[in-house]
Amino acid sequence: MAAFPRFRFLAIAVIFHLAYIYSIFDIYFVSPIVSGMRLFEIERPPSQRAPADRLVLYVGDGLRADKAFQSHPEPYPESEDDLVPRPLAPFLRSKILEKGTFGVSHTRVPTESRPGHVALIAGLYEDVSAVTTGWKMNPVNFDSVFNRSRHTWSWGSPDILPMFEHGSVPGRVDAYMYGHEMEDFSADALLLDLWVFDHVKELFAEAKTNKTLGDMLRQDKIVFFLHLLGLDTTGHFNRPYSKEYLHNIKVVDQGVKEITELIDDFYRDDRTAYVFTADHGMSDWGSHGDGHPDNTRTPLISWGSGVAKPELYTGEIAPGHDEYSSDWNLDHVRRHDVAQADVAALMAYLVGVEFPANSVGELPLSFLAADLKEKAQASLVNAQGILEQYRVKEEQKMATELKYRPYRPLSEGGLTAERRVADIKKLIEGGNYEEAIEESAALMKIGLGGLKYLQRYDWLFLRALITIGYLGWMAFALTTVIELHVLHRQVKSSRTLGSTIVFSSVLAALYASFVISKSPPTYYLYAFFPVFFWEGVYARRENIAAGRKQLFGHVKSGASVISLLFNTAIYITIIVSLALGYIQREILTVLYVIGAFWPLAYGFSFLREHAALSATWFFSCLAMSTFTLLPAMKTEDVNQIVAGGGIMVLIGLVYLMFEDYILADFSRPTKQSSPQQNHLSRTLVGVQIGLTALAMVVTRSSALSLQAKQGLPRGNQIVGWAVLVLSLLMPLAYKLVPSNESNTHYLHRLVIIFLTCAPTFVILTISYEGLFYVAFSIVLVSWVRLEHAVYSSAPSPPTSSEGTEHRPLALSDLRTSLFFLVLIQSAFFSTGNVASVSSFSLESVLRLIPLFDPFAQSALLILKLMIPFALISANLGILNKRLGVAPSALFMTVMAVSDVLTLYFFWVVKDEGSWLEIGSTISHFVIASLLCVFVAALEPVSGVFISGVEVEREKKV
């Protein structure tokens, strides 16, 4: 195959899939942000004040609701009495029992700090892709409670506060932040929260001598925001059930108590409202990001001026409780759950400012200490804010649509938004407050439904377009494979003037509609690919016919037809199983167990001839089948890390001891290689083994030091980085080795690649991943050798035709592609559930980067994730050579088939329901789509890995 068509195909594959990955955000998660709305607030006479003059917002970053409310023994007991469970936040609990209202605030995915704080403070849910915009210095381009306030003082993390400081009116938000160097996962995270409490105290101490500051603090409509990051940092490293996390809850509770008493003593007017909550929760494995209930349920406690007192039910279970809160010992206090965006509406009401312009929160009336008239007025204002967003969005949509279809509940029967608002005002004027509240609540639901309607306005068209695009890609990829690797370009593509005009007209019509509708630029890409692909398929119609004859020409008898149908059914079953494997990892266990018996399909004579190889395949498949039965969420286990590294070192030593025997295809070598000739190569292998052993030592030392709260020794960090970098550069040193039969043997190259990645895997593993790396490597080598054995033992194996370097693909090569697809899925899911954002643990990267740096730490996690794919690409590249097919032939076949999974996951993406379901469906689609990008990237990587490798295709194993 010529280099240019091959490169062009890979480039098209990457661009297409990256563009279509973004399509779910254009379809399912359109940004809710619009501008140009009028603002609404409760109209009060000059003599009537807002419920509170000031508001204090405490956010315990990463605090789970259950941990905040449950009783636990003293984390650091000093007596037997300390072993008796008791509330770890007694001050906050006293507010629940005596002074305020409490419940659970339910967050949305992604359960990360930025979107969580935006929901709390701005009242809107950023689209799911917003988490990729990062945490640092990202000004929010929408309204917030802070921006509506007269002035806001904030203390906390440099990763959160700048968003709101730079996104508000200049000078309105003051942000006091500690340095990034304090965000050290290996240090005691309590210092972060103590820093915040100490600096709040300093501000109020200064106000006693600074008249200007004192006057500012005594204004109304002011907000104090305390961002408490310690819990999140402690939970990441120690887990939320650890004594460190539980002790951090005690520290936060004591700090909240001291600050609350300080503020109350400073003002002495009982005009302060308090809200305590969290931006997200945390899983038992110290992670968050997805929609697991432990990540989406956070505590909400409010007390002070304008807040309702607790509703107590003596001797019975109060409303709102369920099994989740059964062990909180709060059954007699009514629980009031809210959506996270509702907190912004609550804060805006309490402090007497306009509702944020983009807020979709519904004011939780049960938290208000107000009469029915006040609640009715507040509900109406809340509804008007939501309807105003609908009005602006509708006007924008009407301006760009040729024929706009209005939202029926706000257009039919004369029941427009204005008419409904007017009716509610009449109810309030007539004293029908409860009915007004009900009508306002109903109107809010209608308004939110209208916003969703406008967000989904283009759903049907876009989903149809994307579906046609994916089907077109699969057809285009298959016809390309047939043209280049089955027919070897013997049949030329054929285009007619009529077909060119038809396809061009379709594209022009789509583009014209996009211009009129002022559609985003991505729409043009979505439309281009289907037209481009199907035009290419039509042009290759003669290739399809010729390819059918060559591939299926041997299928003539009834038995061959039945065999073909049977194999097709098996392939479809496996692909369906892979789709289910995204949800149930255990399905890969079943596939491995079944695959272990694959050599049996070729008869007992084959097994006798390749007994050792078949046994190795059998036991390595059984070993691989165990990993998907192990927990996806892992805790750090130094013994398993050392065991995995020890086996890697042992494999390297065995290779050095029996190199000649191994390179002679596990038989007695006919001639011994010269010691001088291989001395440098063997020395380099020894160095790689030494680096793996050194990685074991430094990783064990670093892990134990971090577990003992002694921080990361500087020397360990330097050695860890040195080992990581040197090990990845070691293949370059083999360029100095003179080329000979041993150094160009494919098994020698695979050992080099195995040892190159081994130290990195040791450093970045936290549990059994090192054992997986060994088992996976053995499975891959066994697979390469078995495939070649099957090919060589065939009665008439396909061979290259005259004038071509590589043989044409046959139907049997689909089996090889299917194995490759299963192995890629296994690389994803055998050591964890990468379809869950929260599956990634930070313990391993803290051995190299102890300070909080999300992008650098994520890069290391991705490097670890990519290592198994490096092994796959190298082994498939070797297999291509041994089977005599073109380097890109099997890669292209997999790319054509794998998007069956992508299309399935595209249609099951959800934007409503439980947040666990929403997050999982997004992850599944993105991973399935990226699979093709990975395969496209692996193809050139494979070429680099196997450069210079020599194989004997005709030699039987």
Side-chain angles (χ1 to χ4, degrees):
M1 174 182 176
F4 177 70
R6 171 178 158 193
F7 172 79
R8 182 181 62 186
F9 179 86
L10 295 176
I12 291 172
V14 171
I15 296 171
F16 165 71
H17 283 87
L18 291 179
Y20 268 43
I21 285 175
Y22 192 80
S23 68
I24 64 166
F25 299 110
D26 274 336
I27 298 172
Y28 298 98
F29 306 102
V30 180
S31 176
I33 302 167
V34 290
S35 58
M37 285 84 68
R38 296 169 296 176
L39 297 177
F40 297 88
E41 63 178 319
I42 299 176
E43 297 178 0
R44 297 184 175 92
S47 59
Q48 184 180 353
R49 301 163 71 182
D53 288 340
R54 66 202 69 88
L55 179 128
V56 182
L57 171 62
Y58 301 102
V59 175
D61 200 309
L63 177 58
R64 277 167 50 164
D66 56 349
K67 298 303 178 185
F69 298 133
Q70 287 171 342
S71 294
H72 297 273
E74 181 68 33
Y76 296 99
E78 298 178 355
S79 65
E80 289 189 8
D81 291 340
D82 290 341
L83 299 178
V84 178
R86 80 284 308 276
L88 297 181
F91 176 76
L92 290 171
R93 192 177 188 87
S94 70
K95 299 305 177 184
I96 295 172
L97 296 173
E98 303 167 8
K99 300 292 185 181
T101 305
F102 95 107
V104 173
S105 171
H106 297 270
T107 72
R108 291 192 181 186
V109 288
T111 47
E112 297 288 350
S113 289
R114 173 189 166 106
H117 281 89
V118 168
L120 285 171
I121 298 167
L124 70 96
Y125 301 107
E126 287 188 295
D127 57 87
V128 177
S129 62
V131 70
T132 62
T133 61
W135 293 262
K136 303 180 180 182
M137 292 301 293
N138 288 329
V140 291
N141 55 351
F142 38 75
D143 202 11
S144 70
V145 173
F146 294 173
N147 194 44
R148 294 292 109 208
S149 70
R150 196 177 306 278
H151 199 88
T152 294
W153 287 266
S154 59
W155 297 265
S157 168
D159 305 316
I160 295 298
L161 302 191
M163 294 193 305
F164 299 99
E165 179 188 18
H166 293 272
S168 299
V169 174
R172 182 164 292 179
V173 178
D174 290 343
Y176 301 92
M177 300 167 285
Y178 38 75
H180 283 290
E181 67 279 358
M182 289 188 65
E183 296 182 340
D184 188 342
F185 284 92
S186 64
D188 194 341
L190 292 175
L191 298 175
L192 302 177
D193 297 340
L194 295 175
W195 186 98
V196 170
F197 295 135
D198 290 342
H199 281 72
V200 176
K201 294 173 184 177
E202 290 177 7
L203 179 83
F204 281 93
E206 182 184 350
K208 295 179 180 178
T209 58
N210 186 329
K211 185 178 184 303
T212 302
L213 176 59
D215 291 341
M216 291 180 66
L217 290 177
R218 286 179 170 83
Q219 299 177 102
D220 63 352
K221 300 183 179 182
I222 62 173
V223 177
F224 301 102
F225 170 41
L226 284 71
H227 176 237
L228 307 171
L229 184 62
L231 285 162
D232 186 70
T233 306
T234 302
H236 278 312
F237 187 70
N238 299 289
R239 308 292 192 267
Y241 50 77
S242 65
K243 60 184 180 181
E244 292 86 358
Y245 186 88
L246 298 177
H247 180 62
N248 206 147
I249 294 177
K250 291 188 62 178
V251 172
V252 166
D253 181 73
Q254 181 61 29
V256 170
K257 176 184 178 182
E258 293 175 3
I259 298 303
T260 301
E261 292 175 349
L262 172 69
I263 292 174
D264 287 345
D265 183 67
F266 181 86
Y267 289 105
R268 298 177 180 272
D269 60 0
D270 294 328
R271 295 283 301 161
T272 308
Y274 297 90
V275 173
F276 179 91
T277 187
D279 54 345
H280 55 75
M282 185 168 290
S283 71
D284 281 341
W285 298 273
S287 52
H288 54 84
D290 66 10
H292 191 280
D294 284 340
N295 297 330
T296 61
R297 292 186 291 213
T298 62
L300 175 62
I301 308 167
S302 186
W303 70 96
S305 183
V307 180
K309 295 295 190 288
E311 295 182 41
L312 304 179
Y313 291 75
T314 306
E316 60 179 307
I317 297 178
H321 286 281
D322 53 20
E323 185 179 353
Y324 179 63
S325 57
S326 61
D327 62 348
W328 297 354
N329 295 320
L330 293 170
D331 290 350
H332 63 293
V333 185
R334 184 166 186 172
R335 171 181 150 190
H336 304 269
D337 286 12
V338 303
Q340 191 173 47
D342 299 346
V343 178
L346 173 63
M347 294 191 297
Y349 166 80
L350 290 174
V351 81
V353 299
E354 300 98 334
F355 285 61
N358 294 107
S359 174
V360 294
E362 300 177 53
L363 181 63
L365 300 181
S366 58
F367 277 73
L368 312 185
D371 56 27
L372 284 176
K373 180 179 180 180
E374 176 90 355
K375 289 183 177 180
Q377 291 174 334
S379 294
L380 176 59
V381 169
N382 194 178
Q384 286 178 293
I386 293 173
L387 289 173
E388 180 67 8
Q389 295 179 64
Y390 171 78
R391 181 190 66 82
V392 172
K393 286 189 175 184
E394 184 181 46
E395 289 178 354
Q396 292 177 351
K397 180 59 69 174
M398 291 173 65
T400 59
E401 290 295 319
L402 293 173
K403 185 179 180 181
Y404 173 71
R405 304 181 305 277
Y407 181 53
R408 290 184 177 180
L410 289 175
S411 61
E412 289 186 343
L415 291 176
T416 62
E418 294 78 9
R419 170 73 180 277
R420 291 176 182 270
V421 170
D423 290 343
I424 294 174
K425 287 182 177 179
K426 289 181 181 179
L427 290 173
I428 295 175
E429 292 170 358
N432 298 313
Y433 304 129
E434 292 185 353
E435 187 178 352
I437 291 172
E438 292 176 0
E439 289 297 322
S440 294
L443 185 55
M444 275 188 271
K445 299 295 184 186
I446 292 173
L448 292 172
L451 292 175
K452 180 172 288 188
Y453 169 78
L454 293 174
Q455 284 187 300
R456 295 181 171 184
Y457 192 86
D458 295 326
W459 259 35
L460 180 61
F461 169 74
L462 283 177
R463 289 204 287 186
L465 190 63
I466 297 300
T467 300
I468 295 171
Y470 273 117
L471 293 173
W473 159 254
M474 288 185 278
F476 176 81
L478 285 173
T479 54
T480 303
V481 170
I482 290 172
E483 179 186 29
L484 299 176
H485 300 301
V486 175
L487 302 178
H488 286 161
R489 312 192 82 171
Q490 295 175 1
V491 179
K492 301 298 183 182
S493 300
S494 174
R495 289 179 170 84
T496 64
L497 178 61
S499 67
T500 303
I501 292 174
V502 169
F503 285 106
S504 300
S505 300
V506 171
L507 186 61
L510 288 171
Y511 279 11
S513 69
F514 295 158
V515 171
I516 295 172
S517 301
K518 299 179 181 177
S519 300
T522 50
Y523 282 36
Y524 294 86
L525 269 179
Y526 302 155
F528 170 78
F529 283 113
V531 176
F532 173 77
F533 289 147
W534 286 109
E535 191 279 334
V537 172
Y538 179 80
R540 294 186 178 125
R541 58 195 180 279
E542 295 179 6
N543 285 271
I544 297 173
R548 181 182 61 81
K549 291 180 181 178
Q550 181 158 330
L551 290 173
F552 299 98
H554 65 285
V555 181
K556 297 178 180 178
S557 65
S560 60
V561 171
I562 292 174
S563 175
L564 177 64
L565 293 176
F566 178 73
N567 286 324
T568 302
I570 291 177
Y571 291 0
I572 292 174
T573 301
I574 292 176
I575 291 176
V576 171
S577 299
L578 291 177
L580 297 176
Y582 278 68
I583 303 168
Q584 299 292 334
R585 296 168 61 239
E586 294 79 6
I587 288 178
L588 285 172
T589 295
V590 176
L591 292 179
Y592 267 113
V593 171
I594 295 173
F597 296 93
W598 168 44
L600 280 174
Y602 301 100
F604 289 102
S605 61
F606 179 87
L607 288 177
R608 283 194 299 270
E609 186 177 355
H610 307 284
L613 178 58
S614 299
T616 304
W617 167 260
F618 179 81
F619 287 112
S620 60
C621 282
L622 292 185
M624 282 296 297
S625 71
T626 62
F627 290 107
T628 43
L629 297 177
L630 298 173
M633 302 295 190
K634 302 171 287 294
T635 56
E636 190 172 54
D637 190 324
V638 176
N639 292 329
Q640 289 186 359
I641 297 172
V642 172
I647 297 175
M648 296 176 201
V649 170
L650 181 62
I651 289 174
L653 292 175
V654 168
Y655 176 76
L656 277 183
M657 294 171 60
F658 302 100
E659 180 180 9
D660 290 334
Y661 174 76
I662 293 171
L663 297 186
D665 262 352
F666 299 92
S667 59
R668 186 175 299 278
T670 55
K671 62 178 181 178
Q672 299 290 330
S673 58
S674 168
Q676 294 83 4
Q677 190 179 37
N678 280 340
H679 178 71
L680 180 57
S681 175
R682 292 173 61 83
T683 300
L684 292 176
V685 172
V687 171
Q688 289 186 292
I689 296 171
L691 287 173
T692 306
L694 182 57
M696 292 168 53
V697 173
V698 72
T699 298
R700 183 179 185 277
S701 174
S702 298
L704 294 177
S705 179
L706 290 170
Q707 289 176 3
K709 308 300 178 190
Q710 296 175 354
L712 178 65
R714 186 65 174 173
N716 285 26
Q717 185 180 16
I718 293 172
V719 173
W721 274 108
V723 170
L724 181 78
V725 174
L726 283 175
S727 63
L728 295 178
L729 294 178
M730 279 300 297
L732 298 177
Y734 285 90
K735 299 290 185 182
L736 303 175
V737 179
S739 179
N740 58 54
E741 185 176 347
S742 297
N743 295 333
T744 58
H745 196 283
Y746 77 92
L747 286 175
H748 180 75
R749 182 64 56 85
L750 291 178
V751 169
I752 292 173
I753 295 171
F754 172 80
L755 293 175
T756 295
C757 301
T760 302
F761 225 76
V762 170
I763 293 173
L764 296 179
T765 190
I766 66 169
S767 184
Y768 57 78
E769 301 101 301
L771 300 173
F772 157 78
Y773 180 73
V774 172
F776 191 59
S777 300
I778 296 173
V779 162
L780 288 174
V781 175
S782 302
W783 173 57
V784 169
R785 292 172 58 77
L786 264 178
E787 285 283 5
H788 182 251
V790 171
Y791 169 71
S792 300
S793 61
S796 54
T799 58
S800 57
S801 57
E802 185 177 348
T804 60
E805 181 183 356
H806 305 106
R807 70 169 177 83
L809 289 177
L811 279 181
S812 59
D813 292 312
L814 277 176
R815 183 201 63 247
T816 307
S817 300
L818 193 63
F819 266 103
F820 178 60
L821 191 58
V822 172
L823 289 168
I824 281 187
Q825 301 289 334
S826 177
F828 264 117
F829 292 105
S830 287
T831 61
N833 178 17
V834 297
S836 166
V837 178
S838 66
S839 296
F840 299 105
S841 179
L842 290 176
E843 276 102 330
S844 58
V845 296
L846 296 184
R847 301 165 194 158
L848 298 173
I849 307 175
L851 298 179
F852 179 65
D853 189 341
F855 297 106
Q857 290 170 333
S858 298
L860 286 176
L861 289 172
I862 291 172
L863 172 63
K864 173 187 172 183
L865 191 67
M866 291 296 103
I867 286 176
F869 297 102
L871 296 180
I872 292 175
S873 66
N875 280 273
L876 186 63
I878 298 278
L879 184 58
N880 279 334
K881 281 199 168 191
R882 300 199 82 194
L883 297 183
V885 299
S888 57
L890 295 179
F891 284 102
M892 292 173 67
T893 305
V894 172
M895 281 189 275
V897 174
S898 63
D899 275 327
V900 172
L901 296 176
T902 309
L903 190 55
Y904 166 74
F905 287 123
F906 171 77
W907 274 95
V908 298
V909 168
K910 296 182 178 181
D911 72 334
E912 57 186 11
S914 80
W915 290 108
L916 179 60
E917 292 175 329
I918 293 172
S920 297
T921 57
I922 296 170
S923 300
H924 294 160
F925 168 75
V926 172
I927 290 172
S929 193
L930 281 176
L931 185 66
C932 194
V933 178
F934 287 146
V935 174
L938 290 176
E939 202 276 340
V941 169
S942 171
V944 173
F945 281 155
I946 66 171
S947 175
V949 172
E950 296 179 2
V951 298
E952 297 181 19
R953 300 177 194 165
E954 71 283 354
K955 182 176 181 178
K956 292 188 179 184
V957 182

